[in-house]
Amino acid sequence: MADNRPTPSPGAGSARESAPASTHIDEAVAHSHDHAYSPSGEHGGHSHDHSHAGASTKRLGWALTVTGAIVVAELVGAFWSGSLSLAADAGHMVVDASGLVIALIAARLMRRPRDEKHTWGWARSEVLAATLQAGMLLIICAIVAWEGAWRLLSPPEVEAGPMLLVGIIGLASNVVSLAILAGGRDANLNMKAAFLEVANDALGSVAVIVAAGAEWAFGWTRADAIASLLIAALMAPRALTLLRRSVAILMEQAPANVDVTELRAHMLDVDGVLDVHDLHVAAVSSHLVTVTAHVTVSEHADGPSRDRIVHQLGECACHHFPIAHSTFQLECAQHASHEHIEH
């Protein structure tokens, strides 16, 4: 086995392993600059990400404390007043509280280093957490919408005073939680899910307050049912968007911000590259995008030429696209007939 190692670029590493010369196959691995999360801890981006994960954990912990207090207040208020919209908001808050617990667990898991069994670390835990939260929100939406529709047809009597008081307390508490989570909402998909859930809670509290006001001022008995349906309508689109994004990552769909056709064109522009096939772009997490490809080069290309190609492909991936990790297999045209590729 011959072992040729190209000089890595600053902030990046690359390694290359050559098969026996008779096969004319060269497998090369190129790691781009780590502008995003790197699970290996080998680059500067890892410690930076750990600091973000630590901050996210603290934010989630405080938000969970505030949310738990609101849940208790709204459940008591719903039992006292008989309000469905308040009960719906309390149910929504229960889901949010459990969602924040999931998010908190995921934030801690993301800080764990990779090992031989978990070669990407626990980066994907944030996506799983977001998927669970989205699923729970959709279930609550369906329950609230069903009950709200029945109450719209046959509205029960509701005490507006306690409903209004608890709605105001809930809104104030939600604003506090939003302030806690606002600084970290763009850290990852997990934090974004948590922020969206609390934002939905705030909108739900506004709906409760408006319904209580209408009930108290005008005696409009259907206001509570309409408010509960509005809460469900506010939750559903955001939950579906979050679920769609999470499932796209789990299904290893190419991220929206990476045009695979354009990436292929960039790779083909590298001097010495004859063809690019079996090109895969996927995200391990919301901030860790990877690319793998089989790259055809001339069978006469020597070691230094292949090293240059690997380096330029890696630089192209990280500088022109938000790709944090790249793996390229260099091979000659004759190797295509020996490949056994399912897709």
Side-chain angles (χ1 to χ4, degrees):
M1 295 284 287
D3 187 13
N4 301 311
R5 298 184 183 275
T7 303
S9 60
S14 59
R16 173 178 162 185
E17 299 176 3
S18 299
S22 61
T23 65
H24 296 291
I25 304 171
D26 184 80
E27 295 184 0
V29 178
H31 300 283
S32 66
H33 294 282
D34 284 325
H35 297 298
Y37 171 82
S38 169
S40 67
E42 297 170 352
H43 307 294
H46 184 69
S47 60
H48 179 68
D49 189 79
H50 265 201
S51 66
H52 274 299
S56 295
T57 301
K58 290 179 181 178
R59 292 178 191 277
L60 288 168
W62 280 108
L64 179 59
T65 301
V66 175
T67 301
I70 304 172
V71 168
V72 174
E74 290 199 337
L75 285 174
V76 171
F79 179 77
W80 183 12
S81 66
S83 167
L84 175 62
S85 61
L86 200 53
D89 202 39
H92 183 195
M93 295 290 285
V94 169
V95 173
D96 285 354
S98 60
L100 287 171
V101 171
I102 293 170
L104 191 59
I105 294 171
R108 290 188 177 276
L109 287 176
M110 287 171 64
R111 300 174 68 183
R112 297 179 62 175
R114 74 176 186 178
D115 53 37
E116 293 301 318
K117 187 173 183 179
H118 305 92
T119 57
W120 285 114
W122 294 74
R124 187 154 280 186
S125 58
E126 59 138 309
V127 184
L128 293 173
T131 306
L132 285 172
Q133 291 177 68
M136 289 189 296
L137 279 173
L138 287 173
I139 291 171
I140 289 293
C141 285
I143 293 172
V144 170
W146 176 264
E147 183 64 22
W150 278 109
R151 287 204 174 198
L152 193 61
L153 296 173
S154 180
E157 187 175 340
V158 175
E159 293 188 34
M163 179 180 169
L164 180 61
L165 176 62
V166 177
I168 292 172
I169 294 172
L171 178 60
S173 302
N174 283 321
V175 170
V176 172
S177 293
L178 283 173
I180 292 170
L181 295 173
R185 67 182 182 275
D186 294 324
N188 54 55
L189 198 60
N190 184 40
M191 286 296 293
K192 188 175 184 67
F195 181 82
L196 284 176
E197 286 188 343
V198 176
N200 280 333
D201 286 338
L203 293 173
S205 295
V206 171
V208 168
I209 292 170
V210 172
E215 185 97 17
W216 177 74
F218 308 109
W220 192 19
T221 56
R222 286 183 170 80
D224 181 58
I226 291 173
S228 63
L229 291 172
L230 179 61
I231 292 170
L234 289 171
M235 286 192 289
R238 289 169 175 79
L240 285 171
T241 298
L242 182 61
L243 184 63
R244 190 162 50 244
R245 288 188 61 190
S246 302
V247 170
I249 293 176
L250 294 175
M251 292 298 293
E252 299 196 353
Q253 179 179 316
N257 56 356
V258 177
D259 187 325
V260 177
T261 301
E262 185 181 350
L263 173 61
R264 188 190 303 273
H266 273 264
M267 293 173 67
L268 288 170
D269 279 343
V270 173
D271 187 36
V273 173
L274 303 179
D275 184 42
V276 175
H277 61 282
D278 199 27
L279 175 61
H280 299 284
V281 181
V284 176
S285 67
S286 58
H287 291 306
L288 178 53
V289 180
T290 67
V291 59
T292 63
H294 287 209
V295 181
T296 304
V297 299
S298 171
E299 61 182 296
H300 303 297
D302 57 12
S305 297
R306 291 175 176 238
D307 290 345
R308 174 189 55 77
I309 291 171
V310 167
H311 174 73
Q312 290 182 354
L313 288 172
E315 291 293 292
C316 172
C318 77
H319 287 303
H320 295 115
F321 303 90
I323 294 174
H325 185 93
S326 52
T327 305
F328 305 111
Q329 175 174 303
L330 303 190
E331 58 193 34
C332 63
Q334 291 86 339
H335 178 63
S337 60
H338 300 288
E339 288 185 338
H340 302 284
I341 301 173
E342 282 193 34
H343 301 289

